Amino acid sequence: MAIAELKKGDVKDIGLADAGKRKIEWAQQQMPVLELIRKRFAKEQPLKGLRVSACLHVTSETANLMIALRDGGADIVLCASNPLSTQDEVAASLNRDYNIPTYAIKGEDNDTYYSHLRAALEHKPQFTMDDGCDLVTMLLTKRTDLVPNVLAGTEETTTGVIRLRAMAKDGTLKYPVIAVNDAMTKHFFDNRYGTGQSTLDGVIRATNVLLAGSKVVVAGYGWCGRGTAMRAKGLGADVIVTEIDPVKGIEAVMDGFRVMPMVQAAKEGDVFITVTGNKNVIRREHFEVMKSGAIVCNSGHFNVEIEIPALEQLAKSKREARPLVDEYTMKDGRKIYLIAEGRLVNLATAEGHPAAVMDMSFANQALSAEYLMKNYKSLKPQVYVVPENLDREIARLKLELMGHKLDVLTAEQEHYLASWNEGT
Ligand SMILES: NC(=O)c1ccc[n+]([C@@H]2O[C@H](COP(=O)([O-])OP(=O)(O)OC[C@H]3O[C@@H](n4cnc5c(N)ncnc54)[C@H](O)[C@@H]3O)[C@@H](O)[C@H]2O)c1
């Protein structure tokens, strides 16, 4: 693709833009914290002239973040951070209505996915906003000529933060990055309630399975796993958790779930959901003992949590049973269903996290970008957390805008909590 062509973005069908605009406006109503930030950014222009390359799930919530940054003065291009998570109508509207070149097509093959990342880097970013660290990895390994321009960046998800910390450790990271994921107002809410709700939404939309009375196996009891298990229980499922960490394991037990190794859970489960950030969590030995009709999906960042090559080898045939649901027939006649090729189920077959929760995650993104532009000169090429005052301010605003009020300490209570000699 020629660069001149790439500057206009690359979307499935620009004719979808009207539907995309409606979707973006719908999400905007549920993102009041981000809207406050956008309005202030429009006045203060904290990102004036800043070239930003963003690699995020191209959803209506992301569109609102892009608009807030643009209104703050940023010159942005956006590409997809996953081949299956793009909302094509939103991508079309960002290009046509908001003048934000967007390179994203739902279902794009790997070559197109990487060509879109390359296109985003052609923007010669001074700032990167990544989700999963694919853009930054390409920048630091294949476009090292661009690295001297980059002042700072942010990272949205757990898996990206893990990759960045490894890069910082061995000296590969060349500029400061804020781990937005690690903000309290991000992972406590987005990973838990956002992933929890939208993952089950994805399973239901893809299969229409009845979860009440089903055995749902959740692999990983981190932030995403807790939310997924909690919501599956709420829908009446008998939830089994698999873990490798004893503390998370005991937490799952005390939250009322059975905990067992996957090889045992594989025999029992009707629906399997991986959310570990690890690889081959469901693999050959597990497929071999699954019941016929088992549904398998992933809501962790990469499509490596389920060993799909093993499933392909074990199967004698494969067909599409429903949109984005592949039916694998094993040699012994059992059928195993894989949703969305093992890619993020909540984004591939549902709409990703609800806007109301992304309001806080993306408020963190916007405020972190502003903070980095003020402070990058004094920061090292390391991974930083979101400053606590910003994190707490986002929580305060969200609570207030949701119509709730906190109590306040009396002077006597403040004194009591600050002293060591009042305990008796
Ligand atoms: N679907 C989404 O929209 C979405 C949203 C946020 C995060 N994520 C992704 O989800 C994944 C999990 O994120 P998180 O914030 O919950 O991380 P986390 O670190 O809080 O939890 C991961 C858990 O998986 C466990 N684990 C690791 N290997 C395992 C194995 N082999 N078997 C069982 N458990 C294992 C770990 O002990 C840990 O408790 C990451 O890839 C993250 O990027 C997805």
Side-chain angles (χ1 to χ4, degrees), residues 57 157-160 162 181 186-187 190-191 195 198-199 219-226 242-245 248 275-279 281 299-302 305 344 346-347 353:
H57 299 299
T157 198
T158 315
T159 286
I162 291 170
N181 181 73
K186 201 279 184 182
H187 65 274
D190 164 322
N191 299 30
T195 312
S198 62
T199 296
Y221 203 64
W223 291 103
C224 296
R226 289 178 182 109
T242 71
E243 249 300 339
I244 44 112
D245 178 329
K248 305 276 177 54
V275 260
T276 67
N278 205 342
K279 68 183 290 193
V281 176
S299 208
H301 189 77
F302 285 118
E305 302 213 13
L344 291 160
N346 61 332
L347 282 141
H353 295 12

Side-chain angles (χ1 to χ4, degrees), residues 2-78:
I3 298 310
E5 193 190 325
L6 288 175
K7 284 230 167 81
K8 290 185 229 123
D10 187 19
V11 299
K12 184 175 179 194
D13 176 3
I14 205 76
L16 298 170
D18 284 345
K21 190 158 192 291
R22 283 195 296 272
K23 208 163 180 169
I24 294 168
E25 288 168 358
W26 175 262
Q28 189 242 326
Q29 292 175 54
Q30 293 165 56
M31 303 180 83
V33 178
L34 186 64
E35 180 60 10
L36 277 183
I37 295 169
R38 187 193 67 75
K39 285 188 180 143
R40 180 173 65 74
F41 273 19
K43 269 195 226 128
E44 297 176 7
Q45 295 289 292
L47 309 177
K48 195 168 173 45
L50 184 72
R51 286 196 311 279
V52 178
S53 296
C55 177
L56 299 165
H57 299 299
V58 179
T59 63
S60 54
E61 296 80 22
T62 299
N64 280 289
L65 172 62
M66 296 298 100
I67 294 163
L69 301 180
R70 183 205 63 182
D71 288 0
D75 170 10
I76 314 173
V77 301
L78 171 66

